[in-house]
């Protein structure tokens, strides 16, 4: 028997505030995890596995498409679409994919301010998470959505604006170096 109503009733209400530092993801997650059944724990583990960029691959996304959990399926399909569009944008290509948030996403990519762009991206994810569970009532998807939002907040909690911008600039430089390196190889 699941404890979803009890767990959901105990969840704090979060809003996305990039400056606020009050989300301890690990303790929230652990408290929820203790109350979940084994199958639900596996879904939490799988979602967190997908939060790690190093684990994302075609195999991961294909597995998510087959997942019985609708939140996992929709969230990671959206994540795959965003990442594909990002790669295409950086390579000055077009994907031909169509999804509701594509126009907003392409506008976000054009923002030259790295910190603002990352905030806008996280707001896009935040809103998508809400859209996925808009009609769910007392279901496990609400719990997964809460953890996904808490993960976004925790990411910003680890960064202050200065170090966050520095980290993003470093990432952009690495991407540019990789792109320029592969471009130079193709010209040889």
């Amino acid at each position: 028997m699941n404890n979803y109503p009890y767990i959901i009733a105990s969840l704090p209400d979060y809003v996305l505030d990039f400056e606020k530092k009050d989300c301890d993801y690990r303790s929230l997650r652990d408290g929820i995890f203790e109350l979940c059944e084994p199958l639900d724990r596996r879904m939490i583990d799988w979602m967190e596995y997908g939060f790690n960029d190093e684990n994302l691959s075609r195999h991961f996304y294909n597995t998510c498409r087959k997942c019985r959990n609708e939140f996992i399926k929709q969230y990671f399909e959206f994540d795959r679409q965003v990442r594909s569009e990002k790669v295409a944008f950086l390579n000055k290509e077009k994907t031909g994919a169509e999804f509701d948030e594509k126009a907003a996403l392409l506008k976000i990519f054009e923002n030259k301010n790295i910190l603002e762009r990352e905030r806008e991206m996280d707001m896009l994810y935040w809103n998508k998470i809400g859209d996925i569970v808009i009609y769910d009532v007392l279901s496990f998807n609400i719990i997964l959505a809460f953890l996904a939002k808490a993960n976004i907040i925790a990411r910003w909690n680890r960064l202050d604006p200065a170090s966050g911008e520095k980290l993003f600039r470093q990432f952009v430089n690495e991407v540019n170096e990789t792109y320029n390196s592969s471009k130079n190889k193709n010209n040889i």
Side-chain angles (χ1 to χ4, degrees):
M1 174 179 263
N2 66 53
N3 294 323
Y4 302 151
Y6 172 75
I7 296 169
I8 292 167
S10 69
L11 299 176
D13 189 24
Y14 279 122
V15 294
L16 186 53
D17 181 349
F18 295 103
E19 307 301 326
K20 203 171 182 180
K21 307 279 187 200
D22 70 344
C23 177
D24 179 4
Y25 177 83
R26 185 51 51 191
S27 63
L28 283 169
R29 181 255 192 219
D30 290 348
I32 291 168
F33 201 79
E34 282 180 21
L35 299 172
C36 290
E37 295 179 5
L39 179 60
D40 296 337
R41 288 178 180 182
R42 287 202 322 257
M43 288 296 108
I44 291 170
D45 286 339
W46 185 247
M47 183 175 71
E48 290 176 334
Y49 181 82
F51 288 160
N52 184 341
D53 290 342
E54 294 175 6
N55 296 330
L56 300 177
S57 65
R58 179 171 287 147
H59 173 71
F60 174 80
Y61 288 118
N62 286 338
T63 303
C64 287
R65 280 190 195 120
K66 298 172 189 167
C67 184
R68 288 184 185 172
N69 179 276
E70 199 58 34
F71 181 83
I72 297 281
K73 190 182 298 185
Q74 288 185 42
Y75 178 84
F76 285 108
E77 177 59 18
F78 177 70
D79 185 66
R80 185 195 62 75
Q81 291 170 326
V82 168
R83 290 172 187 276
S84 294
E85 291 298 329
K86 190 173 193 176
V87 169
F89 181 82
L90 290 172
N91 291 326
K92 298 179 177 28
E93 299 171 350
K94 294 185 179 180
T95 63
E98 292 300 324
F99 55 101
D100 293 341
E101 299 83 6
K102 185 173 181 174
L105 181 63
L106 295 176
K107 186 175 180 181
I108 291 170
F109 290 155
E110 293 172 3
N111 189 338
K112 301 295 183 211
N113 183 309
I114 295 167
L115 190 58
E116 285 179 19
R117 186 171 57 232
E118 287 301 313
R119 285 180 176 176
E120 291 171 3
M121 287 286 294
D122 280 343
M123 283 300 300
L124 191 69
Y125 272 90
W126 186 275
N127 292 333
K128 182 63 176 183
I129 291 165
D131 290 347
I132 293 170
V133 296
I134 196 163
Y135 298 112
D136 285 314
V137 179
L138 301 177
S139 76
F140 185 61
N141 288 342
I142 298 291
I143 295 166
L144 291 175
F146 172 83
L147 288 172
K149 286 182 174 182
N151 184 61
I152 292 171
I153 294 170
R155 181 172 95 92
W156 283 94
N157 284 348
R158 289 188 299 268
L159 305 171
D160 60 33
S163 64
E165 187 163 2
K166 180 181 174 185
L167 179 64
F168 294 130
R169 285 191 192 283
Q170 177 184 348
F171 175 70
V172 167
N173 289 337
E174 289 172 7
V175 169
N176 286 337
E177 287 172 12
T178 303
Y179 174 72
N180 290 333
S181 174
S182 67
K183 188 175 174 183
N184 290 337
K185 283 182 184 177
N186 290 336
N187 291 334
I188 295 178

